[in-house]
Amino acid sequence: MLSQVMSGALLGIDGYVVEVQVDLARGLPTFATVGLPEGAVRESKDRVKAALKNCGYSFPRERITVNLAPADVRKTGAAFDLPMAVGLMAAQGLIEPERLAEFMFVGELSLDGRLRPVKGALSLAMAAREAGLSAVVLPKENAAEAAVVAGVDVRPAEHLPQVVEFLVGRDDLPVLTVDREAIFEDSNDHGLDLNDVRGQEHVKRALEVAAAGAHNLIMIGPPGSGKTMLAQRLPGILPPLSFEEALDTTRVYSAVGLVPPDRALVTTRPFRSPHHTISDAGLIGGGALPRPGEVSLAHHGVLFLDELPEFKKNVLEVMRQPLEDGQVTVSRAAMSLTFPARFMLVAAMNPCPCGFFGNTIKECTCTPTQIQRYRSHISGPLLDRIDLHLEVPAVKYKELGTETSGEPSAVIRNRVRSARRIQAERLGPEGLLANSQMQNKHLRRFCQLDEAGQTLLETAMRKLGLSARAYTRIIKLARTIADLDEAGQVQARHVSEAIAYRALDRARG
């Protein structure tokens, strides 16, 4: 006898519907799974057999064939346990096949029949909605995450007998609903405030500019100058995530199983800080079956690379595509997948290996060759893609002992939100959200400089030897500074401040 159960799987971070076909035939008792199953999928037969027996159900002593269609796409994970168990019971006539047509079933089975959470519940619920299915039956731990998808019912279950009793009509699996507005309460409470940082007022201003236009930045300064503290507080001045942004971010986290069990969505902007020993696959994404890397986990948030020159050069160079395009493509022999990666890059570095080059208090012990080798780890093309280059000097004692420490993050965030609203009104019809995303055609339309500003920029280009990419970065920065001032035209003072944020260009010039 043949039965068909709808389930789902992930391809990258996108979900797609998988039809689990179970056939019982005469012959020696065997259990064969076809349809390009990976290791965890092939092992499902043992988990399903033990779960059925331990829950008091019969396991057929026949030739069992399970096909996972489409059969030409590799299937991974343990989410097919539940649909296989339901399919076996339907093939034995214990469950009416018509009862299965409107549901998607996903879930890993313990040997005692309990349902364990799976990865990608949000994307799977979206796939079920697109396929016209009315409901998703899945483990209780994944229910809140899937329930944010409108247009499909989410029915959580704790163990296999609950699902069976529901399908035979003897019990119910209540539909779970979530309050979307309640999910976003306190979404901006990062717990870290900029007024915790003593001094460095010019760096705080630069962080405000970066946040207002979603610009990348690098901080150069000696050890202990507060670079890490400042970077960790940047998410607190960014605008809150919109519902669409939260969905995009949660899909990435769900695909790798990082959604907190007590949260339906990732509602705060991510802050990722990988160690400098990370590989290019760990940063960009990869593996035999590609999975998202740190740049995708920082989607709509901040990627912080501390001690930037300590990262392997090939690791840094592979960031060019996501910095430019807002996405990253990982190609393997079996498939090519694209992951979202629109993030703010925040990098920090010392001016030299010992950290005290140019310091007036402590003498630098590095030779010119060592300094050159240290800085050469960061290529010119990568630096050109970083909008703000900031010098962060050591904090003076009198600033450390002061009681006042500048504006709190909430005040700065309000100004950033106002600037972002201006950009959304101007760039929204173009499909853009922030000034950093503008292309050359947008610069010509929206970033007209006054005569004094053009003269100033021309002089800076000539004296500093700036590249064409650096030229566009300065104009984008000036446009953001003008938006913070609520000025319609980019003026010379905005250009002047933007040029001041290109410290490494001045050093090279």
Side-chain angles (χ1 to χ4, degrees):
M1 185 175 178
L2 177 67
S3 68
Q4 297 181 353
V5 181
M6 305 307 294
S7 186
L10 291 178
L11 191 60
I13 64 170
D14 298 317
Y16 66 98
V17 173
V18 174
E19 187 175 331
V20 180
Q21 302 169 340
V22 180
D23 178 67
L24 300 183
R26 294 180 180 179
L28 293 175
T30 59
F31 195 128
T33 304
V34 297
L36 291 182
E38 290 295 319
V41 183
R42 291 194 299 270
E43 293 170 351
S44 290
K45 61 182 180 181
D46 299 312
R47 292 190 296 271
V48 170
K49 182 177 181 179
L52 287 174
K53 287 187 175 181
N54 290 329
C55 290
Y57 303 116
S58 62
F59 186 81
R61 299 183 58 82
E62 300 174 78
R63 183 183 179 88
I64 303 171
T65 303
V66 176
N67 180 44
L68 306 176
D72 60 344
V73 182
R74 291 193 179 276
K75 317 299 189 307
T76 62
F80 297 111
D81 291 3
L82 179 59
M84 283 185 186
V86 171
L88 282 170
M89 299 188 72
Q92 297 178 81
L94 303 177
I95 297 174
E96 292 294 331
E98 296 79 10
R99 181 72 169 159
L100 306 176
E102 57 186 285
F103 299 109
M104 172 185 281
F105 297 87
V106 290
E108 176 186 341
L109 284 174
S110 297
L111 300 187
D112 60 359
R114 288 180 295 110
L115 289 178
R116 295 175 55 82
V118 297
K119 297 177 181 178
L122 177 61
S123 295
L124 294 176
M126 296 172 72
R129 180 185 61 187
E130 293 170 4
L133 301 176
S134 64
V136 180
V137 179
L138 77 178
K140 182 180 179 181
E141 290 85 349
N142 296 123
E145 176 188 335
V148 300
V149 180
V152 62
D153 292 339
V154 173
R155 297 180 180 271
E158 296 185 46
H159 46 76
L160 179 60
Q162 264 188 303
V163 179
V164 175
E165 294 297 300
F166 167 68
L167 292 175
V168 298
R170 288 197 290 263
D171 202 354
D172 188 29
L173 285 178
V175 176
L176 177 70
T177 58
V178 297
D179 185 348
R180 294 184 181 180
E181 294 184 1
I183 292 175
F184 282 87
E185 289 181 0
D186 299 326
S187 61
N188 274 315
D189 185 13
H190 290 266
L192 298 174
D193 201 294
L194 266 181
N195 63 10
D196 296 334
V197 182
R198 297 294 186 264
Q200 308 295 14
E201 296 305 319
H202 72 290
V203 184
K204 295 178 184 179
R205 165 64 179 178
L207 289 177
E208 178 181 344
V209 173
H215 299 288
N216 305 317
L217 71 145
I218 182 171
M219 294 180 282
I220 308 100
S225 57
K227 301 186 294 295
T228 301
M229 285 186 66
L230 288 160
Q232 290 172 339
R233 284 151 179 78
L234 178 58
I237 65 174
L238 291 172
L241 285 172
S242 66
F243 180 72
E244 290 75 18
E245 289 175 329
L247 277 179
D248 286 344
T249 304
T250 305
R251 287 175 63 210
V252 179
Y253 276 67
S254 179
V256 294
L258 292 180
V259 177
D262 58 338
R263 301 299 298 268
L265 287 175
V266 176
T267 56
T268 57
R269 294 195 179 270
F271 181 85
R272 304 293 299 183
S273 180
H275 193 261
H276 61 76
T277 57
I278 192 171
S279 66
D280 52 357
L283 187 65
I284 296 298
L289 293 172
R291 55 170 280 163
E294 289 291 336
V295 297
S296 296
L297 292 172
H299 186 51
H300 292 311
V302 176
L303 177 67
F304 177 49
L305 302 183
D306 201 3
E307 303 295 345
L308 187 66
E310 300 296 335
F311 285 78
K312 296 176 183 176
K313 194 166 185 177
N314 67 299
V315 172
L316 295 179
E317 292 306 307
V318 295
M319 285 203 304
R320 292 191 193 180
Q321 184 200 4
L323 284 175
E324 200 71 27
D325 302 335
Q327 62 184 23
V328 60
T329 301
V330 181
S331 298
R332 294 292 181 267
M335 64 185 69
S336 179
L337 297 176
T338 299
F339 300 118
R342 190 166 296 284
F343 58 91
M344 283 183 62
L345 173 65
V346 180
M349 62 178 285
N350 296 329
C352 65
C354 78
F356 296 102
F357 178 74
N359 194 294
T360 57
I361 300 175
K362 192 169 183 178
E363 184 179 356
C364 174
T365 60
C366 303
T367 65
T369 302
Q370 289 175 322
I371 296 174
Q372 176 61 31
R373 187 183 302 117
Y374 179 75
R375 294 190 176 186
S376 66
H377 279 79
I378 309 169
S379 67
L382 180 61
L383 280 178
D384 282 344
R385 288 171 169 83
I386 300 177
D387 301 342
L388 291 89
H389 308 161
L390 308 175
E391 293 179 337
V392 186
V395 182
K396 298 178 180 179
Y397 176 78
K398 64 179 181 179
E399 293 176 330
L400 289 173
T402 185
E403 292 294 330
T404 58
S405 54
E407 296 176 304
S409 292
V411 174
I412 300 174
R413 183 169 62 244
N414 288 335
R415 292 199 296 268
V416 170
R417 294 179 69 176
S418 297
R420 286 284 187 104
R421 278 195 293 267
I422 293 173
Q423 294 167 47
E425 293 174 0
R426 180 173 60 241
L427 301 174
E430 305 292 323
L432 306 178
L433 298 176
N435 288 335
S436 63
Q437 301 172 14
M438 290 191 295
Q439 303 297 323
N440 287 336
K441 62 179 181 180
H442 305 121
L443 298 183
R444 292 190 294 269
R445 289 181 56 190
F446 304 124
C447 303
Q448 294 295 324
L449 309 183
D450 62 12
E451 186 174 349
Q454 292 177 1
T455 303
L456 179 60
L457 184 54
E458 180 182 358
T459 302
M461 288 287 295
R462 184 176 62 255
K463 289 188 175 181
L464 299 179
L466 302 180
S467 68
R469 184 175 281 113
Y471 167 81
T472 61
R473 301 290 176 182
I474 289 174
I475 293 180
K476 291 178 184 180
L477 275 176
R479 178 68 268 177
T480 299
I481 297 167
D483 290 338
L484 284 169
D485 283 351
E486 298 184 358
Q489 187 178 29
V490 180
Q491 301 169 13
R493 57 193 174 92
H494 304 137
V495 176
S496 176
E497 183 177 352
I499 294 173
Y501 293 140
R502 304 289 298 185
L504 293 180
D505 288 332
R506 297 199 305 272
R508 286 185 291 177

